[in-house]
Amino acid sequence: MRVTETQVQQAMREAMALAERAKEQGDVPVGAVILDEHGTILGRGWNTREVAQDPMGHAEVMAIREASRKLGTWRLTNTTLVVTLEPCVMCSGAIVASRIGTVAFGAYDEKAGAACSLYAIPIDPRLNHRVDVVGGVLEAECSAQLQTFFRTIRSRKK
């Protein structure tokens, strides 16, 4: 059984709410959830780089760690990662390494996206695992959340 489009959209709304936590902590508003094949949330995450001063404090990493603890295994086969922004190189590598089945993201990242925009790590046939990639889930809302954050940051610097 695979998660439905409706379940992915509901999960994206949860991820957007988690992204607000990152924003409240002064970080880029990115949120992520991992679903099992029935649509149950196994892991949640949001960016914590600033508050934790951790370069690996990305939403995807946080969600992967929580789902792995919950399942008692690093192999997250048959799961779906839903994240508000296209994963970067580091996160795409973690997605492949953890054997996630599908990644669904909201906003494309032309500058650092490594799921399909700049690189296509999850689908690279040279790697030992390939991930289904679905981009643009609630894209307008996810993009607006990020644009509003960066607009606010820029206006404060003036």
Side-chain angles (χ1 to χ4, degrees), residues 9-156:
Q9 288 178 353
Q10 289 171 339
M12 186 62 78
R13 294 203 188 286
E14 170 74 12
M16 290 178 69
L18 293 168
E20 287 297 313
R21 288 189 189 183
K23 183 179 89 172
E24 290 165 5
Q25 296 174 344
D27 215 320
V28 177
V30 178
V33 298
I34 296 181
L35 306 174
D36 70 10
E37 63 271 15
H38 305 291
T40 303
I41 295 177
L42 298 172
R44 292 176 172 83
W46 57 91
N47 277 4
T48 60
R49 290 180 308 166
E50 296 298 330
V51 70
Q53 290 300 298
D54 178 3
M56 293 178 46
H58 288 215
E60 298 94 326
V61 171
M62 189 181 208
I64 288 168
R65 286 176 174 160
E66 184 176 304
S68 293
R69 280 192 302 270
K70 189 169 198 172
L71 293 175
T73 181
W74 60 269
R75 290 178 184 89
L76 301 179
T77 53
N78 301 318
T79 63
T80 299
L81 171 68
V82 180
V83 60
T84 58
L85 179 64
E86 180 179 355
C88 69
V89 171
M90 177 184 71
C91 293
S92 290
I95 289 163
V96 170
S98 61
R99 309 297 194 268
I100 288 172
T102 303
V103 61
F105 66 87
Y108 287 84
D109 187 349
E110 299 297 326
K111 294 181 180 179
C116 63
S117 291
L118 195 57
Y119 301 103
I121 292 170
I123 61 169
D124 191 320
R126 296 169 295 179
L127 299 175
N128 63 334
H129 177 72
R130 270 158 298 297
V131 180
D132 294 331
V133 175
V134 178
V137 177
L138 301 181
E139 181 179 6
E141 294 96 320
C142 292
S143 293
Q145 187 177 43
L146 289 158
Q147 289 167 352
T148 300
F149 173 78
F150 287 114
R151 195 174 308 118
T152 301
I153 295 294
R154 284 190 295 274
S155 70
R156 287 182 187 156

